[in-house]
Amino acid sequence: MRGKCKDHISKLPDDVLHTIVSLLSMRDAVRTSVLSHRWKNMYAYMSNLEFDWHDIISTPADSTPGTVCNSEVFCFLARLERFLACHLGTKVVSFKVSCCFGNMYARRINDWISFAIRKGVENLDLAFTCDKPAERSDWRIIDYYHFPTQLLLHGEESKLRHLSLRSCTLQSDFFDRFSTLSTLVLCDVNLAGHVEPHMFSSCSNLECLTLQWCFGLERLCIGDSLHRLKVLVVSLCEGLKGIELSATNLTSFHYKGDDIKLSFERVPNLGELYVMMKDTDVVSTFARLEKELPHVKSMTVAKSRACKKKLEKFVWFESLTIQEGPAFAGVSRDVQRISSVLGAFLLLQKFHLTSNLHHINCGCRCLI
């Protein structure tokens, strides 16, 4: 008769078991509590906490954005807050919440943020709608959560390094409460208050800034105070009319949206550029970049209508992507026209041409 199998895993040190549990999803981590008495509270020491509406609520959200069943909301709240009440760890590295309701439960959401701040959170990721902004037909039905910047710690007291906010209102006077951030992502955010072009100037440690579907900002100025900024992404921000860049360490800039004024003052390390504006003239855009950004090596330009003006010489670009609308579709079949495009870029090594009907990818060492 064979003896009982020995549970060698349960005999491992606590820190090893905590590491094992940290690699599991929240749902599976909680399930380990039934394995044995040794595992009963292991999940309560997790340092990476993620509460996703779709994981906790089995039924899908109401098809109308911003509206959900009250019973589902109460279920989500109960499970999340029960977990926080049982948490035994002294540190929370990452705290992520994705739910389908906003400011109606602001007081309870504030308590979650306070919990994470007390635990020294480094990565805070909060999303308050389950719909997609691009598919939203009525913005008035969204009950934006008012993010409480006053709950964040001042200056060096804060451990926060990464902040991501979706579908909320953010007062622009956050000052030094964002000074420790290296990454800031704002998606579908209403920038409220007296919004200044230099509103991010206090984010002195920022390395990556992403603004997507944001509104309330008319001009964006990135100045010398953001000396660590390397990546800037601005996409589909309603009402934005101009961007001024003076960031010496900026290496990548992506812009997508309406026609706006782009000003490049001091961007000596900018190597990757993506610009997509409505009805932008590709040729004139290249002509301006020839004068302002002679050091750029990789560029993507997109526009909705073709321009048939003669191409000028842009000798320094090594990588080029051109995206065109239907009017340019025939170029993919016009070898001579493609040759004229490639011949304008004497150092070109990679060329991508995309139209609605065709896609060409040429990787070549010598084009002329």
Side-chain angles (χ1 to χ4, degrees):
M1 183 177 179
R2 291 181 297 179
K4 295 181 178 180
C5 295
K6 295 183 178 180
D7 183 5
H8 295 289
I9 295 181
S10 295
K11 295 181 180 180
L12 294 172
D14 284 354
D15 57 344
V16 176
L17 296 183
H18 293 162
T19 301
I20 294 174
V21 173
S22 69
L23 299 175
L24 303 175
S25 66
M26 294 286 292
R27 184 188 296 269
D28 291 337
V30 173
R31 288 175 177 173
T32 63
S33 62
V34 302
L35 295 177
S36 69
H37 180 75
R38 180 82 164 81
W39 287 85
K40 184 176 181 180
N41 294 318
M42 284 297 165
Y43 74 91
Y45 291 90
M46 294 184 69
S47 59
N48 296 311
L49 309 183
E50 182 172 357
F51 305 93
D52 191 291
W53 174 271
H54 299 291
D55 291 338
I56 295 177
I57 304 300
S58 56
T59 57
D62 190 284
S63 58
T64 303
T67 61
V68 292
C69 176
N70 285 337
S71 61
E72 293 175 343
V73 172
F74 295 147
C75 177
F76 182 89
L77 293 172
R79 293 188 181 185
L80 186 155
E81 291 170 356
R82 184 164 58 245
F83 187 98
L84 297 187
C86 295
H87 192 264
L88 300 175
T90 59
K91 173 71 175 179
V92 169
V93 176
S94 177
F95 187 79
K96 299 182 180 181
V97 177
S98 177
C99 58
C100 296
F101 49 86
N103 208 51
M104 181 180 297
Y105 300 94
R107 184 174 299 178
R108 300 175 79 160
I109 298 174
N110 291 352
D111 290 339
W112 308 345
I113 297 175
S114 295
F115 164 87
I117 296 299
R118 289 197 307 271
K119 298 281 186 173
V121 67
E122 298 178 12
N123 182 6
L124 187 60
D125 189 334
L126 305 173
F128 298 103
T129 58
C130 294
D131 70 317
K132 298 179 180 179
E135 300 174 355
R136 190 177 301 164
S137 59
D138 189 352
W139 292 78
R140 295 171 298 178
I141 64 177
I142 302 301
D143 181 27
Y144 282 103
Y145 167 69
H146 299 284
F147 183 77
T149 54
Q150 70 275 9
L151 295 181
L152 302 183
L153 299 178
H154 287 277
E156 297 180 356
E157 297 178 358
S158 175
K159 304 298 181 182
L160 194 60
R161 298 294 180 266
H162 310 279
L163 177 62
S164 178
L165 300 175
R166 177 183 170 186
S167 300
C168 68
T169 295
L170 175 66
Q171 292 292 328
S172 59
D173 55 348
F174 41 73
F175 299 116
D176 66 338
R177 294 182 188 270
F178 283 4
S179 63
T180 60
L181 295 179
S182 61
T183 304
L184 176 60
V185 178
L186 303 180
C187 178
D188 184 24
V189 169
N190 175 19
L191 300 172
H194 185 60
V195 184
E196 294 283 351
H198 294 275
M199 65 176 295
F200 298 103
S201 61
S202 62
C203 306
S204 56
N205 288 296
L206 208 58
E207 297 180 7
C208 181
L209 173 62
T210 299
L211 305 175
Q212 184 177 24
W213 291 101
C214 295
F215 50 97
L217 180 63
E218 184 173 324
R219 290 176 57 244
L220 175 64
C221 297
I222 302 298
D224 295 334
S225 61
L226 299 182
H227 60 281
R228 296 188 179 183
L229 188 67
K230 296 180 180 179
V231 178
L232 175 62
V233 178
V234 181
S235 178
L236 302 171
C237 292
E238 183 179 351
L240 185 63
K241 297 179 180 179
I243 299 178
E244 299 176 14
L245 299 180
S246 180
T248 55
N249 286 318
L250 189 69
T251 60
S252 177
F253 172 56
H254 286 214
Y255 173 77
K256 180 180 180 180
D258 294 332
D259 293 351
I260 64 172
K261 181 180 180 181
L262 296 176
S263 175
F264 302 92
E265 295 183 11
R266 288 188 300 276
V267 285
N269 291 303
L270 184 63
E272 179 185 3
L273 178 65
Y274 177 99
V275 176
M276 179 178 183
M277 292 190 292
K278 293 181 180 179
D279 302 332
T280 294
D281 188 319
V282 171
V283 174
S284 63
T285 300
F286 281 143
R288 183 163 61 87
L289 293 175
E290 180 182 15
K291 297 179 180 179
E292 297 184 18
L293 303 170
H295 50 278
V296 171
K297 300 300 182 183
S298 177
M299 179 177 62
T300 298
V301 175
K303 71 190 186 79
S304 57
R305 293 189 310 199
C307 178
K308 298 182 179 180
K309 294 180 180 180
K310 182 180 179 181
L311 289 173
E312 302 295 335
K313 295 290 184 180
F314 309 101
V315 298
W316 49 85
F317 292 106
E318 297 176 359
S319 177
L320 169 67
T321 299
I322 297 180
Q323 297 177 358
E324 294 285 356
F328 200 62
V331 175
S332 59
R333 298 186 299 272
D334 188 342
V335 177
Q336 292 182 347
R337 181 72 184 278
I338 294 176
S339 299
S340 67
V341 172
L342 301 183
F345 297 83
L346 304 182
L347 299 182
L348 198 64
Q349 297 179 19
K350 294 181 180 180
F351 174 65
H352 299 264
L353 171 62
T354 303
S355 74
N356 285 5
L357 300 178
H358 301 272
H359 178 75
I360 294 178
N361 181 352
C362 302
C364 19
R365 282 294 176 185
C366 183
L367 301 175
I368 57 174

